[in-house]
Amino acid sequence: MVPGTNDDETPATGRRLRALQLGGSAVLLAIALTAGSIAVGALRDDGGTTVAAAPSAVSPALITSGDLDASIASLQEHLRSQPRDFGGWATLGLAYVEQARTKGDPSRYPQAEKALKRSLKLEPDNEQGLAGQAALAAARHDFADALKYADRTLKQNPYNERALSSRIDALVELGRYGDAAKAADTADSRKPGIPVFTRFAYVHELRGDVTTAERVLKQALVSASAPGDVAYVAAQLGQLAWNQGQYEKALTYYARALAADDTYLPALEGRARAQAASGDKEGAVRGLEDVVARYPLPGPLVELGELYEERGDKAKADDQYALVDAWTALARANGVNADLDTALAAADHGDKKAALRAARAEWERRHTVHTADALAWALHVNGEDEEALPYARQATATGYRSAAFLYHRGVIERATGHAKDARTHLAAALKLNPGFSPLGAGEARKALKDLEAAK
């Protein structure tokens, strides 16, 4: 069980994007094109092979036990000699999903899909294949399918850890927070461990219960032993601290994550963001330049662009923003729904009309605090502040502590004549996380100063 718990626009306001918002689910993807990809199709059955289908001779734990590339090579070699091993194909599919996450290569998703389909063709409705489909669907932001596959897996095995975790993820990303909390409790009672603990913590964070989130993550870190687990949990703690404006604390956790895995992308990005917020802008730029050279994700691209823009290098900034469009195109080409990322990026640094179209499309699919905020901001930059206000309020309704959300709400309240509320929420944003954005934080201070002067 979870440790410590019981059983039971204006032109002046355009051009901002919170890297925090892009850093959540989008961190799973990138436009980095890695060399040497081995297509699943290259591992085909030999014409005369009559090997009987069998459960995987390779443990799924292999993909998290060490060098992922080496593990994939081992799986590929195994499947050359045992091409009817449906469990092996499922494990390979999951490994490709993990590789997409850690290496920043969305071309792995079609490979994962091929491997998982092979598994399910060899043994229809096998547990590992279904759980892999749930993880792949979640990685591609198809959360309705993720929930469907997770539920199908759990009908076969209510204790499947990956399916329990994917189910929580899907419910969170569909905005079904009450159901997600119940799912987290269920997962905790059935399969306690780091994957469940971190999700349990996030469900509480979404409700504003930072104390419980931090306690659970700290105890999960104590229980972590594998370098990958240490890096993952420590980076989660770093993100939680940064959200609260605790930059030194965040840097300490990111350092611990990078001591375990010095290539771990969320920790590298998070460290740079915390450096920027605490005043080390040059260190942040160097760090982000290194990140985007390898993994040009929307979050670090925009953060780096805003740091360039803050110091007056508009041309360099625009280069970073343009790469977000390239990421979006590649992500979509590999089956990823990128509307939320498009909405956030284009609202501040691109085509505002496209931003609104994407935000509306995403809202049709899921009602989360993040999609509410994205739609509110896209409406604002298109001059539709009256329509934006209810969405901005909805984004902050669960208690989730986001300075970006509070800032957006304050700006929209100011635009709609709610000066007192605007002062309240702009001040709250700056109190919570005074360095939440290279550009937005300064604009929040200016807006608040103007509102105070107008009283």
Side-chain angles (χ1 to χ4, degrees):
M1 62 180 295
V2 170
T5 65
N6 299 317
D7 289 340
D8 348 304
E9 173 145 352
T10 67
T13 57
R15 305 201 166 287
R16 303 161 219 62
L17 175 63
R18 308 292 69 80
L20 167 61
Q21 294 164 285
L22 281 170
S25 317
V27 80
L28 301 175
L29 308 169
I31 62 170
L33 299 177
T34 60
S37 300
I38 301 176
V40 171
L43 296 174
R44 57 188 181 276
D45 295 356
D46 292 334
T49 299
T50 56
V51 178
S56 176
V58 183
S59 168
L62 179 67
I63 66 175
T64 58
S65 62
D67 187 324
L68 183 59
D69 293 340
S71 297
I72 287 175
S74 177
L75 281 165
Q76 291 167 337
E77 182 63 29
H78 166 77
L79 289 166
R80 288 189 180 95
S81 63
Q82 300 289 328
R84 295 187 61 80
D85 178 1
F86 65 84
W89 284 109
T91 302
L92 180 62
L94 279 167
Y96 282 133
V97 173
E98 181 70 6
Q99 196 171 52
R101 183 181 74 81
T102 58
K103 300 292 185 181
D105 183 2
S107 72
R108 299 300 185 185
Y109 292 128
Q111 291 179 294
E113 184 177 13
K114 290 179 182 178
L116 292 166
K117 283 183 175 179
R118 176 74 69 89
S119 173
L120 291 165
K121 182 177 180 180
L122 288 167
E123 183 68 20
D125 288 339
N126 78 79
E127 176 190 331
Q128 290 171 266
L130 291 174
Q133 288 281 32
L136 174 61
R140 283 174 154 175
H141 301 183
D142 184 352
F143 300 110
D145 262 9
L147 182 59
K148 178 185 73 176
Y149 282 115
D151 284 342
R152 285 175 61 184
T153 307
L154 294 170
K155 283 183 180 179
Q156 295 193 36
N157 178 7
Y159 296 87
N160 185 291
E161 183 179 64
R162 289 189 182 276
L164 288 166
S165 298
S166 292
R167 190 168 196 275
I168 300 168
D169 292 342
L171 290 167
V172 164
E173 296 298 338
L174 290 169
R176 295 169 55 180
Y177 298 134
D179 291 337
K182 293 176 184 176
D185 289 339
T186 298
D188 176 40
S189 67
R190 293 180 183 174
K191 199 74 174 179
I194 287 174
V196 172
F197 296 163
T198 52
R199 288 163 171 85
F200 188 99
Y202 185 55
V203 168
H204 279 269
E205 185 187 356
L206 283 168
R207 292 177 160 185
D209 186 2
V210 174
T211 301
T212 296
E214 183 177 19
R215 184 180 73 247
V216 171
L217 287 173
K218 281 182 175 179
Q219 295 188 34
L221 185 58
V222 169
S223 71
S225 56
D229 286 342
V230 173
Y232 174 56
V233 180
Q236 294 282 313
L237 279 160
Q239 179 69 38
L240 185 65
W242 185 85
N243 286 349
Q244 317 312 311
Q246 300 169 348
Y247 308 133
E248 290 304 316
K249 190 174 182 179
L251 286 167
T252 299
Y253 281 123
Y254 288 132
R256 184 162 182 184
L258 292 169
D261 180 355
D262 61 6
T263 67
Y264 191 54
L265 178 60
L268 290 168
E269 181 187 349
R271 181 179 66 181
R273 196 166 53 240
Q275 287 172 325
S278 57
D280 182 9
K281 300 295 177 70
E282 290 307 311
V285 167
R286 287 194 300 272
L288 287 169
E289 286 175 339
D290 181 56
V291 168
V292 303
R294 291 180 289 165
Y295 309 118
L297 290 156
L301 283 169
V302 172
E303 184 84 7
L304 180 58
E306 292 197 348
L307 286 170
Y308 284 149
E309 192 169 344
E310 186 183 33
R311 73 184 190 188
D313 197 337
K314 188 65 169 58
K316 270 191 172 183
D318 287 343
D319 288 343
Q320 309 310 307
Y321 304 147
L323 283 173
V324 177
D325 292 335
W327 175 87
T328 300
L330 267 175
R332 285 177 171 160
N334 285 280
V336 181
N337 167 28
D339 276 338
L340 181 59
D341 309 286
T342 298
L344 290 167
D348 284 339
H349 303 293
D351 184 336
K352 295 176 174 53
K353 297 296 183 185
L356 185 52
R357 287 193 299 272
R360 289 196 191 278
E362 193 65 17
W363 184 254
E364 287 297 313
R365 282 187 286 269
R366 54 194 181 111
H367 293 183
T368 70
V369 292
H370 293 89
T371 51
D373 174 72
L375 180 52
W377 197 242
L379 285 163
H380 163 71
V381 300
N382 281 278
E384 303 292 342
D385 291 295
E386 292 293 343
E387 187 181 354
L389 185 55
Y391 294 108
R393 289 171 173 165
Q394 187 166 339
T396 58
T398 69
Y400 179 53
R401 292 165 60 82
S402 166
F405 290 9
L406 292 167
Y407 164 64
H408 289 165
R409 178 172 175 173
V411 169
I412 293 166
E413 285 170 335
R414 183 188 184 193
T416 53
H418 298 81
K420 182 178 179 181
D421 290 340
R423 287 195 299 272
T424 296
H425 293 112
L426 289 169
L430 292 168
K431 181 179 180 181
L432 175 62
N433 188 348
F436 69 88
S437 158
L439 300 182
E443 292 176 7
R445 292 186 182 91
K446 182 180 183 304
L448 184 59
K449 182 179 179 181
D450 290 346
L451 284 164
E452 292 291 347
K455 278 200 304 184

